[in-house]
Amino acid sequence: MAAQKINEGLEHLAKAEKYLKTGFLKWKPDYDSAASEYGKAAVAFKNAKQFEQAKDACLREAVAHENNRAYLFQLAYEQAGMMLKEMQKLPEAVQLIEKASMMYLENGTPDTAAMALERAGKLIENVDPEKAVQLYQQTANVFENEERLRQAVELLGKASRLLVRGRRFDEAALSIQKEKNIYKEIENYPTCYKKTIAQVLVHLHRNDYVAAERCVRESYSIPGFNGSEDCAALEQLLEGYDQQDQDQVSDVCNSPLFKYMDNDYAKLGLSLVVPGGGIKKKSPATPQARPGGVTATAAAEEDDEYSGGLC
């Protein structure tokens, strides 16, 4: 079966080369027919799992379409990229798919360009997260330029989570802010609250309490935020963090509101430690009586009325 498909592919290649030849009575190559044969050869080689030959056929198809000024050459470049993916040559695959997406943009098909970029991001995400972030951000920009804000913010969310996973918190904070601005623009206010939680967790992992507090303060202008459970939880979290009360911070971060966020943000909450390691509240001991009927607790209070500390 494989040998038959390989022979079929070679036959199509031979036909394509024939269409490209010129002679005394044929002054111009037949690029359209050649492109069609290259495409058929690519399919035959792919079915035979000869991905290198399939990729080469796709590239030749792309060149033939390009010479014929036909829009299909972008698709041929993208298909060549997918052949490279089958060969586990992911960086090279992404490079070709990016090239195809730029051509889609130049030819006025931004939706197809965005889909190609997103596909490239998914391919490379586990191998090169930094490149995937770039591709997702590019995709978001394409959608945003087309005023398709819901699609744009979805891709920004993917970029933000990858940045958090890579502990690139400065960039993550900016990315989440952009998400939040778009959700506010499309009036999806409950998601704005969740993005504020994500922002605060990122800022606290950056050891920037001031920025975290400012995020909450600025979010009071979002309809419904003040008085929401998100707002109350964040105020409690910031209070515990400011007072270096690890118990209070852990209680907030272990609440369902935080634990059922996107996994990357839930992990930020569970790993959050207050400055200096924090102080743990001790279980109150049973007061011990001193001679004269005065308990140890009462005596300590008489000795120092501020012995309770800050909490």
Side-chain angles (χ1 to χ4, degrees):
M1 178 67 177
Q4 182 185 341
K5 287 295 178 184
I6 291 171
N7 288 332
E8 186 182 324
L10 291 172
E11 285 174 16
H12 286 301
L13 286 182
K15 287 180 183 178
E17 295 300 325
K18 205 170 180 181
Y19 281 123
L20 292 176
K21 285 182 180 176
T22 56
F24 182 69
L25 296 175
K26 184 187 174 190
W27 296 356
K28 186 181 176 185
D30 185 353
Y31 290 117
D32 189 42
S33 298
S36 176
E37 291 299 329
Y38 282 133
K40 291 173 184 175
V43 171
F45 288 133
K46 181 184 176 184
N47 289 338
K49 299 195 182 300
Q50 300 299 306
F51 299 119
E52 181 72 38
Q53 288 172 284
K55 180 261 296 181
D56 288 341
C58 286
L59 290 175
R60 291 186 190 184
E61 180 190 0
V63 172
H65 280 310
E66 202 166 357
N67 287 330
N68 199 37
R69 300 183 183 279
Y71 74 94
L72 289 170
F73 69 90
Q74 305 101 318
L75 179 59
Y77 276 120
E78 189 178 351
Q79 289 301 315
M82 297 311 288
M83 293 307 104
L84 285 165
K85 173 218 167 191
E86 296 293 341
M87 296 158 63
Q88 296 301 309
K89 295 183 177 180
L90 297 183
E92 294 94 331
V94 166
Q95 194 174 358
L96 274 181
I97 297 172
E98 266 193 288
K99 182 175 182 177
S101 70
M102 293 303 107
M103 291 173 171
Y104 285 131
L105 279 176
E106 289 168 9
N107 284 272
T109 51
D111 283 2
T112 313
M115 287 188 286
L117 284 170
E118 183 179 3
R119 195 151 44 239
K122 287 177 181 175
L123 280 182
I124 203 73
E125 188 173 303
N126 293 326
V127 177
D128 187 351
E130 189 171 345
K131 181 64 177 177
V133 167
Q134 179 194 329
L135 290 165
Y136 288 145
Q137 289 173 337
Q138 282 179 259
T139 312
N141 287 337
V142 173
F143 280 131
E144 198 170 357
N145 290 337
E146 294 300 304
E147 297 185 350
R148 295 177 59 181
L149 297 182
R150 294 182 192 280
Q151 287 90 340
V153 78
E154 183 182 337
L155 271 297
L156 280 173
K158 289 184 177 184
S160 298
R161 291 190 291 275
L162 277 179
L163 288 167
V164 167
R165 208 172 301 164
R167 304 193 72 78
R168 295 160 61 187
F169 293 132
D170 290 353
E171 295 167 81
L174 295 173
S175 184
I176 296 169
Q177 181 61 51
K178 192 166 184 181
E179 283 185 76
K180 190 172 165 183
N181 291 341
I182 293 178
Y183 278 120
K184 193 173 180 181
E185 188 175 342
I186 63 178
E187 298 183 353
N188 186 341
Y189 300 129
T191 305
C192 286
Y193 311 161
K194 305 303 177 197
K195 294 302 167 185
T196 303
I197 293 177
Q199 273 185 307
V200 167
L201 289 171
V202 166
H203 283 310
L204 293 181
H205 273 272
R206 293 174 60 237
N207 298 314
D208 193 343
Y209 175 84
V210 173
E213 188 180 39
R214 185 170 61 247
C215 280
V216 175
R217 192 167 60 247
E218 289 173 351
S219 295
Y220 289 138
S221 63
I222 299 172
F225 178 74
N226 195 7
S228 67
E229 64 170 338
D230 306 78
C231 177
L234 284 173
E235 287 173 346
Q236 192 178 358
L237 175 66
L238 288 175
E239 178 188 57
Y241 190 91
D242 187 42
Q243 295 182 359
Q244 298 185 0
D245 186 340
Q246 185 64 52
D247 282 343
Q248 183 168 325
V249 167
S250 297
D251 285 346
V252 174
C253 292
N254 277 286
S255 67
L257 185 65
F258 280 64
K259 283 176 73 174
Y260 297 129
M261 292 181 70
D262 284 322
N263 197 39
D264 293 297
Y265 299 122
K267 285 180 179 178
L268 284 188
L270 294 173
S271 62
L272 185 60
V273 177
V274 300
I279 52 173
K280 294 273 185 181
K281 292 179 181 176
K282 294 181 180 178
S283 302
T286 305
Q288 294 180 1
R290 284 190 177 185
V294 180
T295 64
T297 303
E301 287 175 357
E302 288 176 8
D303 290 341
D304 185 352
E305 61 179 310
Y306 300 109
S307 62
L310 297 174
C311 299

